[in-house]
Amino acid sequence: PRHLTLFQNVPPWRPPNYDEAGDDSDKPDWVQDFCPMPLNKKNNIDALREYMLGSLQAVDEAIGAIMQKLRDVGQDDNTLLLFTADNGFSWGSHCHRPKSCAYEECTRVPLVVRYPALAPLPRVETRFGLNIDFALTFTELAGTVPSVPPDGRSLVRVLADTETLWREDFLIEHWDNDDDEETGIPTLAAVRNQQFKYVEYSTDETELYDLAVDPDELQNQTTNPAYAAVQAGLAARLRELRPDWSPSGAFLDPT
């Protein structure tokens, strides 16, 4: 409650792709179903964002208390702290409110690591770190071995800046949830590398974005002949990352 009104005057979130910039003609049906956003949806998103920013203040206070306790016992430089989130949140980008899409707003999350034993100086790391890497990082530093086959890789050598061979792309997945009417996103699989993102939906729709020139993902390039070779290569790579993927068979329960 002490943070309830802290962000009541924060400027509204209006990035270039907010409400799909008024043009959803190149987007899959699920985006077009949400666009344009009615005024009450925009207002609700703005209010939710204020509450979300306010709620994080208590998290910041807790982190401060934890760090102070670590300093008090002399373990602050001997403790790995990893700050992240489960998903990003759209806040109206691409006419979407929550967090299950394949766009950058949903798939990118903060990943901040403090561990002076491996990374004594601040730096920005451009290599991809994924949530499937966290468990292996923790177990390696703890000197243990996972009891199940791992999906990811330990970030230890990335943190130490000694890794010589790291992933250049990764898989994105989403399964349709019929119980969540607000999400409304079909089952999808996607591949993302440093420059491109390619998405296939169970509806046989596709999206391709050149993130180097279009970081806001406003222009779907799947019908652009200039990107045909790129799209073919990414479609093949998607099936390497998920060999069982096919849009027509995408409704298999992932469990």
Side-chain angles (χ1 to χ4, degrees), residues 25-47:
S25 59
D26 64 325
K27 291 298 186 286
D29 286 346
W30 75 263
V31 177
Q32 297 188 32
D33 288 344
F34 286 153
C35 293
M37 293 188 295
L39 181 59
N40 68 316
K41 181 175 180 178
K42 294 180 179 180
N43 291 337
N44 289 338
I45 290 174
D46 289 343

Side-chain angles (χ1 to χ4, degrees), residues 13 15 44-45 48-49 52 85-93 96-101 103-110 182:
W13 179 247
N44 289 338
I45 290 174
L48 175 64
R49 178 169 172 261
M52 293 173 75
D86 59 345
N87 292 92
F89 215 84
S90 290
W91 283 341
S93 293
H96 189 49
R97 183 193 75 93
K99 57 184 183 178
S100 299
C101 66
Y103 298 119
E104 294 290 275
E105 289 77 18
C106 295
T107 58
R108 294 191 64 142
V109 296
E182 186 177 16

Side-chain angles (χ1 to χ4, degrees), residues 145-183:
V145 178
S147 59
V148 296
D151 288 324
R153 295 177 59 186
S154 169
L155 292 165
V156 166
R157 278 152 294 284
V158 174
L159 295 174
D161 203 19
T162 59
E163 179 64 60
T164 59
L165 186 62
W166 193 247
R167 67 170 64 91
E168 297 181 353
D169 54 26
F170 61 91
L171 175 69
I172 299 168
E173 298 174 288
H174 165 74
W175 280 268
D176 186 18
N177 182 1
D178 292 334
D179 296 329
D180 188 351
E181 295 181 358
E182 186 177 16
T183 299

Side-chain angles (χ1 to χ4, degrees), residues 4 25 42 44 85 117 124 144 156 159 180 204 208 223 227 241:
L4 185 62
S25 59
K42 294 180 179 180
N44 289 338
V124 175
T144 62
V156 166
L159 295 174
D180 188 351
D204 288 326
L208 173 65
T223 60
Y227 287 90
L241 291 170

Side-chain angles (χ1 to χ4, degrees), residues 11-249:
W13 179 247
R14 298 295 185 268
N17 56 18
Y18 182 80
D19 209 16
E20 199 51 46
D23 181 9
D24 59 15
S25 59
D26 64 325
K27 291 298 186 286
D29 286 346
W30 75 263
V31 177
Q32 297 188 32
D33 288 344
F34 286 153
C35 293
M37 293 188 295
L39 181 59
N40 68 316
K41 181 175 180 178
K42 294 180 179 180
N43 291 337
N44 289 338
I45 290 174
D46 289 343
L48 175 64
R49 178 169 172 261
E50 293 178 16
Y51 291 139
M52 293 173 75
L53 293 173
S55 70
L56 283 175
Q57 304 313 299
V59 178
D60 286 349
E61 292 169 356
I63 291 170
I66 292 170
M67 283 302 305
Q68 188 57 54
K69 177 60 70 173
L70 288 170
R71 295 185 188 102
D72 292 344
V73 299
Q75 292 297 322
D76 52 311
D77 285 348
N78 191 38
T79 302
L80 180 141
L81 293 116
L82 190 152
F83 304 88
T84 188
D86 59 345
N87 292 92
F89 215 84
S90 290
W91 283 341
S93 293
H94 306 288
C95 304
H96 189 49
R97 183 193 75 93
K99 57 184 183 178
S100 299
C101 66
Y103 298 119
E104 294 290 275
E105 289 77 18
C106 295
T107 58
R108 294 191 64 142
V109 296
L111 179 54
V112 182
V113 181
R114 183 188 187 277
Y115 191 44
L118 290 178
L121 299 176
R123 79 174 193 269
V124 175
E125 177 58 61
T126 60
R127 287 171 285 195
F128 295 124
L130 307 179
N131 53 12
I132 55 176
D133 299 331
F134 301 161
L136 287 177
T137 305
F138 301 150
T139 55
E140 179 173 350
L141 291 174
T144 62
V145 178
S147 59
V148 296
D151 288 324
R153 295 177 59 186
S154 169
L155 292 165
V156 166
R157 278 152 294 284
V158 174
L159 295 174
D161 203 19
T162 59
E163 179 64 60
T164 59
L165 186 62
W166 193 247
R167 67 170 64 91
E168 297 181 353
D169 54 26
F170 61 91
L171 175 69
I172 299 168
E173 298 174 288
H174 165 74
W175 280 268
D176 186 18
N177 182 1
D178 292 334
D179 296 329
D180 188 351
E181 295 181 358
E182 186 177 16
T183 299
I185 302 176
T187 297
L188 66 86
V191 58
R192 159 71 149 92
N193 60 31
Q194 289 287 0
Q195 183 172 354
F196 297 103
K197 179 188 294 175
Y198 174 65
V199 188
E200 292 187 2
Y201 292 92
S202 58
T203 55
D204 288 326
E205 297 169 295
T206 58
E207 293 183 276
L208 173 65
Y209 297 101
D210 186 340
L211 300 173
V213 298
D214 181 25
D216 297 303
E217 297 167 293
L218 288 169
Q219 186 58 55
N220 184 3
Q221 301 290 351
T222 51
T223 60
N224 186 346
Y227 287 90
V230 171
Q231 181 168 333
L234 291 171
R237 178 58 177 156
L238 176 58
R239 283 151 181 81
E240 292 176 354
L241 291 170
R242 185 177 168 185
D244 63 337
W245 168 256
S246 68
S248 60

